Amino acid sequence: MKIKMENKKETLTAVEEQKRQQQFIEKARIYVREKSEELGRPLYACTTTFGCQMNARDSEKLDGILEAVGYIKTDKEDEADFVIYNTCTVRENANQRVYGRLGYLGSMKKKKPHMMIALCGCMMQEAHVVEKLKKSYRFVDLIFGTHNIFKFPELLCYAMESDRMIIDVWKDTDQIVEDLPVDRKYKFKSGVNIMFGCNNFCSYCIVPYVRGRERSRNPKDIVREIEHLVADGVVEVMLLGQNVNSYGKNLEEPMTFAQLLKEIEKIEGLKRIRFMTSHPKDLSDELIEVMAESKKICPHLHLPLQSGSSRVLKEMNRRYTKESYLALVDRIREKLPDISLTTDIIVGFPGETEEDFLETMDVVGKVGYDSAFTFIYSKRSGTPAAAKEDQVPEEVVKDRFDRLLAQVQEIARERSSRFEGTVQEVLVESVNDQDASLVTGRMGNNLLVHFPGDASMIGTFKQIHLDVCKGFYYMGTPAE
Ligand code: 5AD
Ligand code: SF4
């Protein structure tokens, strides 16, 4: 059984498809039980996630299905009977890591031949990747992409029935299948997809090619999902989309992201709402207004800048300028003075000059980000920027990257300390890794605080006095 890359024409409705996949879950459950009886022990599955929060959420769906078919979750690859990598391809180094780890998995499989290896996610949407896997990594059992994750139970059955590599990668889809099992990493918080795909085609970015066109979920489905999550103990949601600000444009009854937020705000028992990512070109005054009025939306905006040079922004196809970005930041801060702003910046986009780079440094200084993810430009084949001839030499990029990072960190350290001495509400997330007498909580603005506590506090809100800022986090004490 081998399925080729194709433009899938759907014949089943989403509900029928969901029922169909449930049947495959039952079938796979029998295979897992038989194998487990043969080995005289339970079967273990290990999921590894690369990349962004979208992938993290997808992995919870994979885990939900693996659990439903009878696998026990493990984070130890060497004890796993089923290993799946949910891959990312936004930058080249993520791809290299996958190939590196696959080599190791191959040697493990020689010792444990029944072990199954699956690959999914963004990297699999690239034809050259699948070709390379077919040629040099024959031991991989199952390959699928970003558009048919809901078909995982079915593909799992095929892989269990076959000795050959099963490949099912779709070019695109307009289908959104709801209600398959999900195994959440945290009991008290959850990501919620509100849309899939991206229509922006920033010239450096591979996402629109591997995640397809923008599709918004029906608001009723989103609200229903969050209501269920809340009933199950969730107090904080992170609404996920590549460009949440263009939510709802292609719905049968169009609605704006701000309107969706207002609906979500009404859900009783839900305490915190976060979202990402916002594209600056689409961030509306209506959204700023809704954020200012809201009691639940966290005072944090992730607003990717990418470059501070209007010339480079044009080349990047970002559709805003340095000036319009700064004006937007002013409008946000006017209505939300305490808000935390974070960003993504790319250094070394083809043709970036020292002057362009200094424009980026200038915006970083003017905005004063609470934190920033800085990336070295990575050439992604198939994107318009990859064809540009004036790639910036590596040592120049490295030097700019170091200067940018130093400035970003200095400003972030200074910004982070502005709440020192105040009392803030935090949601307790975990027991501290280094010191078990401490717990770690997150403030609305996304900063972390460590303070004395124990595991029973996880998932609860506490008022914490922020005693001292240690750069990017605080040490605190309970204020009650
Ligand atoms: N090279 C470097 N960084 C990239 N990003 C997206 N594509 C590339 C690329 N080709 C960064 C952008 C985006 C973040 C998720 O990844 O900054 O906001
Ligand atoms: Fe990539 Fe731009 Fe879409 Fe973000 S908005 S996913 S950077 S194309």
Side-chain angles (χ1 to χ4, degrees), residues 125-137:
Q125 293 294 139
E126 293 181 281
H128 68 90
V129 170
V130 176
E131 280 314 308
K132 180 165 171 166
L133 293 168
K134 280 202 311 209
K135 220 163 108 204
S136 314
Y137 299 85

Side-chain angles (χ1 to χ4, degrees), residues 52 90-91 204-207 277 302 304 306 318 344-346 373 375-380:
C52 67
V90 82
R91 285 171 294 276
Y204 51 82
C205 186
I206 198 148
V207 169
T277 293
H302 186 68
Q306 313 300 6
R318 289 291 288 174
D344 293 341
I345 300 170
I346 298 175
F373 294 103
F375 303 109
I376 286 180
Y377 168 74
S378 170
K379 189 171 168 176
R380 308 315 290 130

Side-chain angles (χ1 to χ4, degrees), residues 93-107:
N93 51 5
N95 293 39
Q96 290 314 328
R97 275 172 57 211
V98 168
Y99 290 126
R101 290 183 59 157
L102 265 184
Y104 172 68
L105 277 189
S107 59

Side-chain angles (χ1 to χ4, degrees), residues 326-469:
L326 287 171
L328 173 63
V329 168
D330 284 346
R331 288 207 300 283
I332 295 168
R333 287 240 166 91
E334 194 184 312
K335 290 270 160 53
L336 299 152
D338 264 345
I339 197 160
S340 282
L341 290 178
T342 57
T343 200
D344 293 341
I345 300 170
I346 298 175
V347 178
F349 182 81
E352 181 191 72
T353 63
E354 178 64 16
E355 288 69 41
D356 292 322
F357 174 69
L358 291 176
E359 298 273 19
T360 300
M361 294 284 269
D362 185 43
V363 176
V364 167
K366 286 196 164 113
V367 173
Y369 293 106
D370 292 84
S371 82
F373 294 103
T374 49
F375 303 109
I376 286 180
Y377 168 74
S378 170
K379 189 171 168 176
R380 308 315 290 130
S381 56
T383 62
K388 287 185 186 288
E389 303 210 325
D390 42 359
Q391 306 281 330
V392 185
E394 209 180 306
E395 60 286 1
V396 176
V397 179
K398 185 78 185 52
D399 172 64
R400 288 180 193 161
F401 182 82
D402 291 345
R403 280 150 67 202
L404 176 67
L405 191 65
Q407 197 197 12
V408 157
Q409 289 188 341
E410 190 189 319
I411 294 173
R413 207 170 278 128
E414 197 185 301
R415 291 273 307 162
S416 300
S417 68
R418 72 191 189 278
F419 300 104
E420 202 170 83
T422 65
V423 172
Q424 301 284 336
E425 184 177 69
V426 310
L427 173 57
V428 185
E429 295 201 336
S430 58
V431 172
N432 191 290
D433 287 342
Q434 267 104 53
D435 181 348
S437 71
L438 299 177
V439 290
T440 302
R442 195 180 293 272
M443 300 195 251
N445 62 19
N446 220 29
L447 280 174
L448 295 178
V449 197
H450 307 297
F451 57 94
D454 59 56
S456 70
M457 291 177 171
I458 293 174
T460 63
F461 286 93
K462 298 280 172 216
Q463 297 293 327
I464 301 298
H465 183 269
L466 305 179
D467 301 332
V468 55
C469 182

Side-chain angles (χ1 to χ4, degrees), residues 22 58 101 138 143 157 177 184 239 247 305 333 354 378 391 400 467:
Q22 278 299 343
D58 283 347
R101 290 183 59 157
R138 293 296 318 164
I143 293 174
C157 283
V177 178
R184 292 200 321 273
L239 309 177
Y247 172 81
L305 168 69
R333 287 240 166 91
E354 178 64 16
S378 170
Q391 306 281 330
R400 288 180 193 161
D467 301 332

Side-chain angles (χ1 to χ4, degrees), residues 198 200-202 204-205 207-208 242 279 318:
C198 180
N200 290 310
F201 290 94
C202 300
Y204 51 82
C205 186
V207 169
Q242 302 295 349
H279 195 306
R318 289 291 288 174

